[in-house]
Amino acid sequence: MYYKLSGFTQKLTGSACTTAYNPQVRPGSGVSVSDGGLRVGVPAESPTMTFATPTKVVSEAGAMVEYMGSNRVPDLQRLFQTPDGLPVHLKGGVPDRLLYRTTMALTIGGALYCLVALYIAAQPRKN
C-alpha cells in the first residue's frame, strides 16, 4: 500500500501508486515536481568531502589493499551451528556463561531492590 501526506489533516493517508509518487506541491514553496517525485533544488557544485584524504598513501597501498586478518566466519559458523543442545548465547564458553550469570544476578537483584523500595514507599510515615 502507498501513503501520502494529506494536506487537509496533515496525516498519512492511503493512496494509489501514481498519487503517492506524484504529489501536489504548493506553488511558490521552492519545491518542484519533476521526474516523478519531490525534488529540492540541488546546488550546482558538490560540497567538499570532510574525510577526503586516504588512510594510506597510494604508493604504499599498491594496486590492491589486502585485508591482513584471517577470515573467521567459517570457524564461527561451525561453532554456532553445532547441534550440541546449548543456546547460542552460551556457546562461547566460560566468558559467555560468566556474562550470562552476571546479567541474571543483576536483573534479579534489581527487581528485588525495586520491590523493597516499593514496600518502603508504601509504608505510612510515623509522626
Side-chain angles (χ1 to χ4, degrees), residues 46-55:
S46 63
T48 58
M49 292 181 63
T50 306
F51 300 104
T53 57
T55 55

Side-chain angles (χ1 to χ4, degrees), residues 2-5 15-25 32-39:
Y2 297 94
Y3 297 95
K4 72 170 189 166
L5 183 69
S15 69
C17 174
T18 56
T19 310
Y21 284 121
N22 297 314
Q24 297 292 326
V25 179
S32 63
V33 177
S34 62
D35 299 332
L38 291 178
R39 192 174 207 176

Side-chain angles (χ1 to χ4, degrees), residues 15-87:
S15 69
C17 174
T18 56
T19 310
Y21 284 121
N22 297 314
Q24 297 292 326
V25 179
R26 290 184 301 239
S29 64
V31 179
S32 63
V33 177
S34 62
D35 299 332
L38 291 178
R39 192 174 207 176
V40 181
V42 179
E45 60 188 42
S46 63
T48 58
M49 292 181 63
T50 306
F51 300 104
T53 57
T55 55
K56 288 186 176 182
V57 181
V58 177
S59 61
E60 289 178 14
M64 177 185 267
V65 178
E66 293 182 17
Y67 177 67
M68 296 298 179
S70 62
N71 187 5
R72 294 180 33 206
V73 173
D75 298 331
L76 293 174
Q77 284 177 340
R78 216 173 293 113
L79 171 72
F80 288 116
Q81 292 176 355
T82 55
D84 54 2
L86 281 175

